Amino acid sequence: MRILYLTNGFPFPLTSGYLRHYFLIRELARQHRVSLLSIVGPQFRPELTEALRPFTERVLTFAAPRGRGLAAKAGRRVRALLDWEPAVRQMRAAAEELTRAEQFDAVLFSGKQTYPALEGLRGLPVIADLCDATSVRVRGRMAYVGVDRLPWLLLEYAQVRRVEQALLRRAEHLLFATCRDRDALTGGATPRATVVPNGVDLDYWRPAAPDHQPGTIVFTGAMDYAPNTDAALYLADEILPLVRRSEPDAQVLIVGRDPPEQLRAAGRRPGVTVTGFVDDVRPYLERAAVFAAPLRYGAGIQNKVLEAMAMEVPVVATPLAADGLRTEEGERPPVVVASDAASFAEALVRAIAARRRDPAPDSDARRFVARHFVWSESGQRLDRVLSRVSRSIEV
């Protein structure tokens, strides 16, 4: 099949939030031909397209400003919905031109802000990769921001819900990263929706030189992503002081790019290190006695938790973080779940003490990932969706 693949962000480097698309494109390329169209930010480097060349017929990018903050994000969504965003209009024009000149079998689409790009593709079946229930994440954030930010979040919520509902109507088939997010938007299992979870490159995320350091708690992720920022501050401000009552030498390593000033300031406190961007996260995970995932709001699948589990690091997670790894069959990940600061701190203390007694790796965690979160299996699920959509169109 020939597939037109549209994304709201370029799927490389793999530290980005769009790594899902890199791996799905890589899997699709085994049998199909893919043309990738992506919106990119002002810091995008054109040479990054070379990473996708082996898996694509063509790669086209469209530059858009990416200001930070709620107001900037709301502004982008308004412009996109009203079709005022130049990059989205350019993407739509390019997609229309391609489909006039060449025969495509399906559109694989991802991104709430790029929804207007579908307008000119009415003759093709659309598979919408919603990935997560973004509206659930935005609604959850409202409990943790000041009153001054609520109007922006309410606007963002309304915009996201509008696009989610439009995609539910427009698409021939829907993809989600977790059954939780599918259920939140569709009300439960449905023939029109398939769970295609993110995977883990088990050859890469493999402990090579474990240097487990007692009392070391690690949290990783893109720190300019609001749920991660909140979780990191929650860990540093509320959880770590409770841990240090029992483990005075405990320390937290917050590892990931673009930490905001508030988080950088937290990194100047005793027991807290904020690294910013690092070339390789794995050495930090190899130092960890325990991985903390204290996310209080969010949606989708937690790649950071999967990676820690693949590295055989014990994990303590909030119910929200753990539930994103629940399988469709109901199997839950082998992590310790704690719902508030006190119980989370107690779980971390127990994990630190257990690793001190027995530093053996958490092999159950890696086996769980290997059973349920492998890119080749996700690619096969997507291929089955493409075949199903193709047959339904032929009928």
Side-chain angles (χ1 to χ4, degrees):
M1 297 177 68
R2 299 190 71 202
I3 300 162
L4 195 61
Y5 203 127
L6 277 58
T7 68
N8 189 45
F10 196 73
F12 200 83
L14 298 184
T15 54
S16 76
Y18 299 94
L19 63 81
R20 171 180 176 87
H21 305 301
Y22 172 88
F23 285 104
L24 291 180
I25 289 170
R26 188 186 70 176
E27 294 300 320
L28 288 172
R30 300 180 190 278
Q31 299 186 68
H32 308 292
R33 290 175 291 170
V34 180
S35 291
L36 173 65
L37 280 63
S38 289
I39 303 294
V40 299
Q43 306 303 317
F44 177 77
R45 304 190 311 278
E47 62 267 24
L48 293 177
T49 60
E50 295 305 314
L52 274 297
R53 295 289 182 194
F55 314 120
T56 56
E57 285 193 297
R58 59 174 62 81
V59 177
L60 302 178
T61 60
F62 310 90
R66 293 286 177 97
R68 295 184 178 181
L70 286 172
K73 183 181 292 185
R76 288 199 304 272
R77 292 194 187 281
V78 168
R79 291 194 301 273
L81 288 173
L82 297 177
D83 201 15
W84 292 348
E85 183 62 68
V88 178
R89 298 179 72 176
Q90 292 165 13
M91 174 186 274
R92 184 176 69 185
E96 290 174 354
E97 183 177 348
L98 281 174
T99 54
R100 283 196 299 266
E102 304 174 25
Q103 182 67 43
F104 287 86
D105 297 291
V107 177
L108 187 50
F109 173 88
S110 176
K112 311 298 187 295
Q113 296 175 48
T114 47
Y115 174 72
L118 288 177
E119 284 302 309
L121 304 175
R122 290 287 174 181
L124 284 173
V126 172
I127 299 168
D129 185 6
L130 284 92
C131 186
D132 58 30
T134 307
S135 57
V136 173
R137 170 174 55 80
V138 175
R139 188 172 66 238
R141 188 180 179 186
M142 292 180 189
Y144 300 100
V145 301
V147 175
D148 59 320
R149 294 190 173 192
L150 281 177
W152 295 113
L153 279 174
L154 287 167
L155 176 60
E156 183 180 4
Y157 177 78
Q159 294 160 343
V160 168
R161 282 293 292 167
R162 175 183 170 184
V163 175
E164 287 174 344
Q165 293 302 311
L167 286 171
L168 292 179
R169 294 190 299 269
R170 170 76 170 85
E172 275 72 25
H173 205 86
L174 309 163
L175 305 181
F176 294 92
T178 76
C179 50
R180 175 185 63 188
D181 292 82
R182 176 203 63 195
D183 295 349
L185 293 189
T186 67
T190 167
R192 288 186 59 236
T194 298
V195 175
V196 178
N198 286 1
V200 174
D201 183 342
L202 291 169
D203 290 331
Y204 182 87
W205 296 101
R206 176 189 297 276
D211 184 25
H212 159 233
Q213 298 177 1
T216 299
I217 304 163
V218 174
F219 175 62
T220 64
M223 293 304 157
D224 61 343
Y225 179 55
N228 287 346
T229 304
D230 177 79
L233 290 169
Y234 180 45
L235 179 60
D237 292 345
E238 300 187 39
I239 297 172
L240 180 61
L242 299 177
V243 172
R244 285 168 72 96
R245 292 178 184 175
S246 302
E247 294 282 349
D249 296 327
Q251 61 170 327
V252 164
L253 303 182
I254 296 170
V255 183
R257 61 175 174 83
D258 299 326
E261 174 53 35
Q262 188 180 7
L263 188 51
R264 291 198 299 271
R268 293 189 283 271
R269 301 177 200 160
V272 181
T273 299
V274 177
T275 67
F277 173 80
V278 298
D279 290 323
D280 192 345
V281 171
R282 291 172 297 177
Y284 294 89
L285 291 173
E286 291 184 325
R287 291 166 58 184
V290 59
F291 185 88
L295 287 102
R296 298 192 289 185
Y297 64 89
I301 203 164
Q302 299 299 323
N303 294 327
K304 62 182 76 64
V305 179
L306 289 176
E307 291 160 0
M309 293 171 68
M311 293 286 288
E312 301 183 325
V313 180
V315 173
V316 177
T318 56
L320 181 141
D323 195 47
L325 306 185
R326 173 172 50 88
T327 70
E328 285 191 271
E329 297 74 29
E331 187 174 353
R332 296 186 177 276
V335 304
V336 177
V337 179
S339 57
D340 56 39
S343 61
F344 206 101
E346 289 172 7
L348 290 175
V349 169
R350 288 196 301 271
I352 291 169
R355 291 303 295 282
R356 187 179 291 115
R357 291 191 304 270
D358 180 5
D362 189 349
S363 54
D364 287 344
R366 183 175 173 86
R367 282 194 291 267
F368 179 83
V369 173
R371 285 199 308 273
H372 302 294
F373 298 94
V374 179
W375 284 116
S376 58
E377 171 58 28
S378 293
Q380 291 170 20
R381 291 190 185 196
L382 179 52
D383 191 63
R384 290 193 290 269
V385 169
L386 286 165
S387 298
R388 191 184 319 156
V389 169
S390 176
R391 288 197 300 271
S392 67
I393 295 301
E394 291 172 1
V395 171

